[in-house]
Amino acid sequence: MSNSILDTLNENQRTAATTINEHVRIIAGAGSGKTRVLMARIVYLVQDCGVLPNRILAITFTNKAANEMKTRLTAQLGSMASVVRISTIHSLCVRMLREDADLIGYPKTFAIMDPEDQKAILKPIYKTLEVDKTTISYNRALGAISAYKTNYIDPQMAANMAMDDVSITLAKIYAGYEKRRNEMKAMDFDDLLLEGHRLLNSVSSVKEKWQNRLDYIHVDEFQDVDPIQYGIIKLLTGKNTHLCVVGDPDQTIYTWRGASVDIILKFNKDFEPCKTVILNENYRSTQPILDASNAVIKYNKERIDKDLYTKLPGDEKITMFEGKEDSEEPIFVARQINEKHKKGLEYKDMAILYRSNYSSRAFERIFKSVGIPYVIYGGIRFYERQEIKDALCYLRLCTNRNEEDPDQMALDLAVLRVINVPRRGIGARTIENLQKQAAERHMNLYDVMKDPIGLSTAVTKKCEMFVDLIEDLRENREHYALEDFLDYVLDTTGYISMLKEDRESGQDRIDNLKELKEDIAQSMIEDPEMTLESYLQDIALFTDKTQETSENTVSLMTVHAAKGLEFDTVFLVNFNDGVFPSSRACDEGGMKALEEERRLLYVAMTRAKKTLYITWNTGFSYMQDAFKTPSRFRAEIPMEYIVQEEKEEAPKQPKAVVSQSLTGRPSKLGANKKKVRLRKGDAVEHTIYGQGVVLEIRGDVATIAFGHTIGVKKLNAAHPSIKKA
C-alpha cells in the first residue's frame, strides 16, 4: 500500500522515509518537501513495517502544522490516522500532565491560563503595587515573567537581580503573579512545558510509562526547538525508541525566542547511531534563485553543507534596483507590481519582504496613492501604529488656526488621544467634565482647558501645564525645519523618554518615529512648499480605517513572518546595511548574530518561486543618521545570478538645503519645484498607470480615468507620480 507514496519520492526522500532502525536527522532544505517525507515515513511504518499507529508520535510547534499533518495522513491511512499521536508539544505536555499532575502537586483538572487570564491576574497586582499600566504594560510584564521562567529564575532570584526601579517592580509583579497562580493551581503556556519537563525528569515511573508507549518519535521544524523542548524530547526517547528529527539549520531564525542552532547541529552526538539524510532537491524555486541562495549561506560557518538544486524550468536572474531617493524604491516596486498584474499575475502571488516593521511605511504610502491593494501580514499598518498616531496628534495640536474653521472642533480628537500620553494625571472624570463644558460653551476641548470652570486648583494646574506645553510647541515651530520640529515635539513632551523606559518594544516604536521623520523629509523633497498643515492633510489619505476586504492583495511582511510561505514574485526591500543585516542585532550578538542575519536573507530569497527582486535606496536615513549604503550581503551574491536594473535619470534640481535638528542631524530639504495643479479635464501621465484624464478634483484627491484595464482611480493629486501630459 505504501509503495504508491514512496514512488512519489526522490532517492534521498525515500532513504529518509525508510530508515527505521536507527535515529535519523533529516536536513531538509527550503522547499524540499519535508512534510511529504514525514507523512510517507509514518505511512511506511504503519503499512509496511506493521508498527501500531498509537506507538508513533509526531511533534510539531503550531496547531496549523499539526492539523495539516492530520489531514495529509488521513488521506493515506484513513481512519488509522486518528490513532497516530500528532500534536503540538504543548498539547503533548497537557496530555501527560492530565494523567499525572498530582505527582508534582497539581490537581489533574488544573486550569490552563491563556493571555487574557494572565492579564486578569495582573490587574489586582497592579492595583496593590500602584503600578501604572501605561508605564509597564501587561504585555511587557508577561514577557518578563516568561523570560524569568524559561531561564529558571524564581521570584526571589528576580528580586535579587533587580538593579533599577523598573526591574524591581517587575520582580514584585512576578512574585505576586506566581503566588496567585499557585493558589489557583493553574498553569500558563510556559508552565505546561516546564512542568511537563519536571514531571518526566523527577518521576521515573511517568518517564518509563511514556517511553514504553512509543516506538517512533518524529519532530518537525527541529531547528526551532529550545533547550526546554529538547529536554522533553530526550526524556521521551527510551532505549528502544527511534527518534527522527526534521529541520534546516540554515533556517534557524528564532534564537531570540530561545532556539539554538547547536541543537540540530550536534544531534548526531546526542543520539547514536544516527543517519543524516540531506534533502536538497527543491520543488519551489528556479535554479538562479537557488544558486544565489546557496552562495550566500556558504559564508556561514555554523551549518551543515548542502547545495539546493531543482529540475523546475526557469532561468530568470535576480533583479537588483538601487533608488537614489527614499521614494524611488517603492515607486519602482509599485511599477513592477502593476506591470505583472496587467500580464495576469494575481496580487496575492506577490509579496514585499523587509527586515523590520518600520520599513513598510514608504511602500504603504505609494500603494495607497496608486491604488494597489495590500495587507500587512501579521502586523499593523504603519500610519495606524500607536506611536505614529500619537505623534501626528501632537503635530495636529500645533497647526495654525484656520479662518474657515475658527472653532477647530476636530482638535478634540487629538487632545483626547495625547492628553495623558505621557501620563499627566488628568483622570477620566476630569476629561468628562471638560467635554461637558466644551459642549455647553460650544468650544473645543483645548480652548476649554485654557479657561476651565469649576475644577479644583490641582486639576486646573494640570490643565494649565498641558496648555503651556502645547503653546511652547506652537511658539517654537517656526524655528525648526518640519522634520526637526518632530524631534522637538517628541523630546519636549517627554514621549521619547517614555518609550526609552519600555524595554519590551520601546526601541521598535522609536524606530517607527524615526521613519515618520524620514517620511516628512521625503515629503519636503517632493514638495518644498509643504507646510505642517498640508502634510497632515496629505497624511489623512493614508490614515483612514478602510481595509482591503479582497483576498487578492499584495502581502507586506517581515522576513520572520514569511517563514514557511512562498510566492511567485518576491520583492526584498530596504536591502541597506544597518537595516539588513540589522546593526542593532549585530552590535548585541556579534558574529553569531551576523550568521543569523544571513540565515534570514536565505529564508527571504527562498520564498520566491519564479521572480526575485532585491531593492534598496541611497537616500538619507534618520534611523542611522547617515546616507544609506547597500547591504554588505550584496557582495556575497555572485554577479552571474544578477541583472542590475538601470537607474532612471532624476530631473536636475538645485542642491538640497541641509538644516540641523536639535541632535545635530542633517535634514534634507528639497529644491524649489512647483506643485502641479490639476483641473478637471486635464490629460495626465502616471508613472505606473499610464495616460489618463482628470474627471474630478476634490481637495487633494483627483478622480482619474485610465485605460480600460485600469479603470477609474482616486489618487493624491499632488503625488510626484502624476504629471500633466
Side-chain angles (χ1 to χ4, degrees), residues 57-67 70 85-99 110 112 188-193 196 210 213 229 232 236:
L57 171 66
I59 298 173
T60 186
F61 293 89
T62 67
N63 288 319
K64 180 181 177 182
N67 290 332
K70 290 174 183 177
R85 302 174 188 267
I86 299 176
S87 73
T88 64
I89 195 161
H90 285 88
S91 296
L92 176 63
C93 287
V94 170
R95 174 74 183 274
M96 292 188 297
L97 290 163
R98 288 291 184 216
E99 288 188 21
F110 65 89
I112 300 173
D188 58 34
F189 291 164
D190 287 322
D191 295 317
L192 294 176
L193 300 183
W210 278 92
R213 285 177 177 177
Q229 294 163 347
I232 293 170
L236 287 170

Side-chain angles (χ1 to χ4, degrees), residues 19 58 125 149 154 177 250 329 351-352 358 375 391 398 447 456 490 514 576 606 611 679-680 684 712:
T19 300
I125 296 172
K149 287 187 175 188
D154 64 30
Y177 173 90
D250 289 338
E329 186 182 356
I352 313 295
Y358 65 78
V375 64
C398 299
D447 287 342
S456 69
L490 297 174
K514 289 179 179 179
N576 291 97
T606 53
T611 306
R679 296 180 180 178
K680 182 177 179 179
V684 296
V712 176

Side-chain angles (χ1 to χ4, degrees), residues 425-427 430 434 452 455-465:
I426 301 176
T430 298
L434 291 169
L455 300 182
S456 69
T457 303
V459 172
T460 300
K461 181 65 176 175
K462 291 175 182 177
C463 290
E464 287 177 1
M465 291 174 66

Side-chain angles (χ1 to χ4, degrees), residues 54-55 57 85 210-217 241:
N54 67 332
R55 299 191 65 79
L57 171 66
R85 302 174 188 267
W210 278 92
Q211 288 180 348
N212 291 334
R213 285 177 177 177
L214 303 170
D215 293 328
Y216 291 90
I217 298 175
T241 307

Side-chain angles (χ1 to χ4, degrees), residues 81-285:
S82 63
V83 187
V84 178
R85 302 174 188 267
I86 299 176
S87 73
T88 64
I89 195 161
H90 285 88
S91 296
L92 176 63
C93 287
V94 170
R95 174 74 183 274
M96 292 188 297
L97 290 163
R98 288 291 184 216
E99 288 188 21
D100 294 301
D102 58 314
L103 299 178
I104 55 170
Y106 287 89
K108 293 180 181 180
T109 56
F110 65 89
I112 300 173
M113 300 190 302
D114 65 19
E116 290 306 310
D117 297 326
Q118 291 177 284
K119 290 174 185 177
I121 288 179
L122 291 182
K123 286 178 183 178
I125 296 172
Y126 271 49
K127 187 173 182 179
T128 301
L129 296 176
E130 297 183 342
V131 178
D132 179 3
K133 66 180 180 181
T134 62
T135 303
I136 300 177
S137 69
Y138 290 150
N139 285 338
R140 181 179 179 184
L142 292 176
I145 290 169
S146 178
Y148 288 139
K149 287 187 175 188
T150 53
N151 286 285
Y152 294 99
I153 297 171
D154 64 30
Q156 186 57 56
M157 292 168 64
N160 294 340
M161 292 165 55
M163 300 295 290
D164 54 40
D165 290 343
V166 172
S167 57
I168 290 171
T169 302
L170 284 170
K172 290 178 180 178
I173 293 171
Y174 178 33
Y177 173 90
E178 283 295 273
K179 180 175 182 293
R180 181 58 181 148
R181 184 187 66 78
N182 286 320
E183 289 171 351
M184 296 167 62
K185 300 294 184 181
M187 297 188 201
D188 58 34
F189 291 164
D190 287 322
D191 295 317
L192 294 176
L193 300 183
L194 291 165
E195 299 295 1
H197 183 275
R198 182 162 75 97
L199 177 63
L200 291 171
N201 196 42
S202 62
V203 185
S204 58
S205 61
V206 174
K207 179 180 71 173
E208 290 167 6
K209 175 174 68 175
W210 278 92
Q211 288 180 348
N212 291 334
R213 285 177 177 177
L214 303 170
D215 293 328
Y216 291 90
I217 298 175
H218 305 81
V219 185
D220 194 15
E221 300 291 357
F222 190 67
Q223 77 279 346
D224 293 331
V225 301
D226 61 34
I228 294 171
Q229 294 163 347
Y230 189 38
I232 293 170
I233 292 163
K234 287 201 286 188
L235 287 167
L236 287 170
T237 307
K239 291 185 296 183
N240 299 316
T241 307
H242 293 101
L243 178 59
C244 172
V245 300
V246 186
D248 183 4
D250 289 338
Q251 296 186 70
T252 302
I253 59 173
Y254 294 116
T255 59
W256 49 278
R257 284 200 317 213
S260 172
V261 71
D262 289 340
I263 292 175
I264 189 169
L265 292 178
K266 297 177 180 178
F267 175 83
N268 59 324
K269 301 284 197 330
D270 291 341
F271 289 91
E272 296 179 333
C274 174
K275 184 177 185 64
T276 296
V277 182
I278 294 177
L279 305 184
N280 58 348
E281 181 174 354
N282 178 281
Y283 296 91
R284 174 189 299 154
S285 306

Side-chain angles (χ1 to χ4, degrees), residues 479-480 483-492 517 659-665 667:
H479 301 308
Y480 296 93
E483 68 269 33
D484 293 331
F485 181 59
L486 176 64
D487 279 340
Y488 182 73
V489 168
L490 297 174
D491 288 338
T492 304
K517 181 175 180 179
S659 68
Q660 293 291 323
S661 72
L662 285 178
T663 55
R665 289 179 275 192
S667 302

